[in-house]
Amino acid sequence: MSKLPFANRRAAGQALAKRLSAEADAKTLVLGLPRGGVPVAAEIALALDAPLDVMVVRKLGVPGHEEFAMGAIASGDVTVLDDALVKRLNIDEKRLQAVIDAERRELARRETAYRGERPYPDLHEREIILVDDGIATGASMRAAIQAVRQLGAARLVVSVPVAPQETLEQLTGEVDEVVCVATPSNFRAVGQWYVDFGQTSDIEVSEYLGKHN
């Protein structure tokens, strides 16, 4: 297991890149999940000499408890819902749709902010390395996985610095490979495994993309 906590997202990306040294070829594309996953993904793209782009994902928060995910949406018009949770909390269709609509507007805003006029990359028949700064429940990553599959990727690798083992096991059957540096047993939140876990801004995301494209 890697020494924890990571100093910052760049250090986490560098540690992760060492596990991926044999993964890149001419068709490899690194996709970071904004915003925190992009600095991690940038280090991987640099180490592998591969292009970098983003897969925008938005968590669907429970009304009144927005930090608690009931699903997620992603680029490619993908929606992933925890139907059992929605039913258990008695979230009606109107409230659910309101959350989805709001997050779709924010997703579209971010797509424009990060990419501008640059077209979305062609994922067909490519190897995609999906990167985030960590995984907790897996809802955002699961939405990203479904989006990448729908867009025709030939091979899909999920790559994160830290995550609970049980969440990784749930994702294993959905992708070709899962690469993770550390799987601590006392996992509560991604941020607990970083010294510096400050927010990544939209401007920083755009700057990372500009350096690698």
Side-chain angles (χ1 to χ4, degrees):
M1 179 179 290
S2 176
K3 183 179 179 181
L4 294 173
F6 298 109
N8 51 37
R9 292 182 177 90
R10 286 191 62 191
Q14 290 163 3
L16 198 49
K18 294 177 181 177
R19 306 288 182 97
L20 288 159
S21 59
E23 294 294 334
D25 63 24
K27 291 188 175 182
T28 297
L29 173 65
V30 181
L31 290 180
L33 272 62
R35 291 179 285 205
V38 175
V40 182
E43 293 299 323
I44 293 171
L46 179 64
L48 300 183
D49 193 24
L52 171 70
D53 215 301
V54 292
M55 168 58 70
V56 182
V57 178
R58 295 292 299 167
K59 179 177 72 176
L60 300 175
V62 172
H65 302 276
E66 283 71 21
E67 73 288 348
F68 190 33
M70 59 179 174
I73 60 173
S75 302
D77 200 25
V78 172
T79 302
V80 177
L81 283 177
D82 185 337
D83 293 318
L85 177 63
V86 171
K87 184 176 181 180
R88 187 166 72 249
L89 296 178
N90 295 315
I91 300 171
D92 60 47
E93 183 65 30
K94 184 177 181 180
R95 287 195 297 161
L96 176 61
Q97 194 60 52
V99 173
I100 292 173
D101 289 345
E103 294 302 339
R104 280 180 176 161
R105 287 192 293 272
E106 177 60 15
L107 187 148
R109 185 197 71 78
R110 291 194 181 200
E111 288 273 15
T112 301
Y114 303 153
R115 191 169 284 108
E117 298 299 318
R118 186 163 51 86
Y120 197 81
D122 182 6
L123 273 55
H124 186 68
E125 294 300 312
R126 299 185 74 167
E127 176 189 61
I128 305 302
I129 302 177
L130 267 177
V131 184
D132 205 352
D133 54 13
I135 296 176
T137 65
S140 295
M141 184 59 76
R142 194 165 284 111
I145 289 168
Q146 291 196 19
V148 169
R149 288 296 191 201
Q150 287 186 15
L151 293 168
R155 187 171 189 271
L156 178 52
V157 179
V158 164
S159 184
V160 292
V162 62
Q165 184 63 42
E166 57 269 28
T167 301
L168 293 183
E169 289 172 356
Q170 292 169 8
L171 294 175
T172 298
E174 302 180 29
V175 298
D176 297 286
E177 187 177 0
V178 174
V179 179
C180 183
V181 176
T183 54
S185 57
N186 55 334
F187 194 101
R188 296 188 303 277
V190 173
Q192 79 184 102
W193 306 109
Y194 286 83
V195 175
D196 177 6
F197 197 64
Q199 285 195 353
T200 303
S201 69
D202 286 345
I203 292 174
E204 287 175 301
V205 170
S206 297
E207 288 175 349
Y208 279 114
L209 293 177
K211 291 176 183 178
H212 289 268
N213 293 289

